[in-house]
Amino acid sequence: GKGNYRHFMEKELHEHPAVLGDTLRQYLDPKTLEVRLPRLPFDPARIPRLTISACGSAFLAGAVGRYWIEQLARLPVDADVASELRYRNPPLVEGGAAILISQSGETADNMAALKLLRQGGQKVLSVVNVPESSMARESDGAVLTVAGPEIGVASTKAFTAQLAVMACLAIGFGRSRRELSTIDEGRLTQALLEVPGNAALVLEKDAQIRELAAEVAKARDVLFLGRGSLYPIALEGALKLKEISYIHAEGYAAGEMKHGPIALIDNLVPVIALCPTGPLFEKTASNLQEAAARGGRIMAFTDADGVGPLSRFAERVIELPKVGDLSAPILHAIAVQLLAYHVAVLKGTDVDQPRNLAKSVTVE
Ligand code: F6R
């Protein structure tokens, strides 16, 4: 049941710290600070290329995974939505591998991608939440997200658990490919082990996020912006908002603003910026400043070091824990999911059963 929560989605949002802890404990050793992956159907050190395939939010977890794997393991990654991959006749490399991501493990387009990838000689690893699902059974290997049953149609805890698994895979691949030292592995593992505690701190921002939701609920259109690994999270924020509040939202790479979307900016369109400090902060901040100069209403999520600089032009700034690049997308994902949840509640929509949507999409 829902316990004391109004909706399954609210309950599942509050399960984030526990689910992230359960998932990370499967693949990280807190004593040795090493990644412990199950036996993989391919050797990450020997594959020339990796293909990631998924649908919806699961694809966005894959898109974040692509940034991480390319950065930490220097392995070329191609990530695509399954409905495109299955029909675009991709030139698959010999000895290549693929990762399929799915909560249900039953999504029709991704099952078709699975067949195509295996026929193309790729070794397929699936990242699934349902161990007995078709995808888990028909793949060459499976890594489980330990999110428990997800009832709300909009994915929340399963999505962040997918991110947690992708982070562990990225570190593991980095080690196998000798791109990361034991010291790097220890440092990254330690940071990931702090994610559950930090997720709880994000949930404590509930009142501030609810205030932001009251502003967003009045809008007809909303933009989400992010750079690097936060770009897919901007897309996730827009997807969740559309899906459960029916407000039109778009996610963009912050650097793409001036190539078109900035024409939409006026004082009616909230711009939700995902802007943690780090090497990309100045770039994103300057994109946001340009939008603010054109009357845009900037609402930013950042960390303690970003609050000062962003407050100079942003209407609202919400501070999340200061973390590294493997954790920031996870924490920002929780923040944008919570935002979409509160907007939907204010709008009075059917949060757990959005119109026209099904939990498991088993038809093309
Ligand atoms: C969005 C959402 C969907 C699913 C997508 C894939 O909130 O829940 O976009 O992520 O339908 O479903 P699975 O992960 O079951 O393959």
Side-chain angles (χ1 to χ4, degrees), residues 22-313:
D22 291 345
T23 301
L24 290 167
R25 263 194 307 278
Q26 286 293 313
Y27 308 116
L28 302 178
D29 186 329
K31 291 204 191 71
T32 61
L33 297 184
E34 282 171 337
V35 172
R36 262 184 332 215
L37 298 176
R39 213 179 51 78
L40 300 174
F42 53 84
D43 177 355
R46 304 189 83 132
I47 54 173
R49 190 171 187 86
L50 180 74
T51 303
I52 297 179
S53 170
C55 305
S57 285
F59 164 70
L60 298 174
V64 174
R66 167 160 71 112
Y67 283 89
W68 287 338
I69 293 170
E70 290 198 338
Q71 243 161 66
L72 300 181
R74 307 306 303 159
L75 171 63
V77 181
D78 175 33
D80 204 354
V81 290
S83 57
E84 284 300 313
L85 182 78
R86 67 179 289 191
Y87 292 121
R88 79 180 157 82
N89 189 17
L92 299 165
V93 293
E94 205 183 311
I99 296 181
L100 268 60
I101 309 175
S102 177
Q103 188 284 127
S104 62
E106 301 296 343
T107 307
D109 280 319
N110 219 13
M111 283 303 294
L114 168 60
K115 289 194 182 77
L116 172 125
L117 290 161
R118 294 198 74 215
Q119 275 160 14
Q122 310 295 292
K123 288 285 182 213
V124 179
L125 177 70
S126 60
V127 175
V128 290
N129 196 43
V130 181
E132 59 277 9
S133 59
S134 311
M135 223 172 279
R137 276 186 281 110
E138 293 179 33
S139 300
D140 300 296
V143 184
L144 300 178
T145 48
V146 192
E150 191 178 64
I151 310 295
V153 164
S155 183
T156 51
K157 58 176 182 166
F159 174 71
T160 52
Q162 287 161 352
L163 290 175
V165 167
M166 294 309 287
C168 294
L169 290 173
I171 302 172
F173 291 6
R175 278 296 281 150
S176 306
R177 294 171 67 83
R178 300 175 187 275
E179 294 290 340
L180 297 178
S181 66
T182 330
I183 295 169
D184 296 330
E185 179 179 15
R187 179 177 48 81
L188 295 167
T189 301
Q190 181 60 48
L192 277 181
L193 288 167
E194 288 164 16
V195 165
N198 284 323
L201 294 175
V202 176
L203 294 174
E204 284 177 19
K205 298 287 165 176
D206 194 66
Q208 276 183 63
I209 293 177
R210 208 168 338 139
E211 278 174 33
L212 170 58
E215 290 299 320
V216 172
K218 293 182 219 155
R220 206 190 61 178
D221 309 284
V222 180
L223 287 182
F224 286 80
L225 300 180
R227 242 181 215 269
S229 61
L230 273 303
Y231 165 42
I233 305 302
L235 297 173
E236 164 69 3
L239 177 61
K240 281 291 177 303
L241 192 68
K242 280 182 275 213
E243 189 179 12
I244 62 171
S245 78
Y246 314 144
I247 292 175
H248 172 239
E250 298 292 338
Y252 285 100
E256 277 291 292
M257 278 298 283
K258 55 172 66 102
H259 300 288
I262 201 163
L264 291 173
I265 297 288
D266 64 17
N267 57 10
L268 297 176
V269 183
V271 178
I272 317 275
L274 311 182
C275 197
T277 56
L280 303 175
F281 177 79
E282 298 297 334
K283 297 281 175 204
T284 308
S286 98
N287 301 136
L288 299 175
Q289 207 161 0
E290 283 163 10
R294 284 157 185 82
R297 300 173 56 200
I298 312 300
M299 324 273 187
F301 288 98
T302 185
D303 52 44
D305 295 340
V307 172
L310 296 178
S311 297
R312 285 191 278 115
F313 55 82

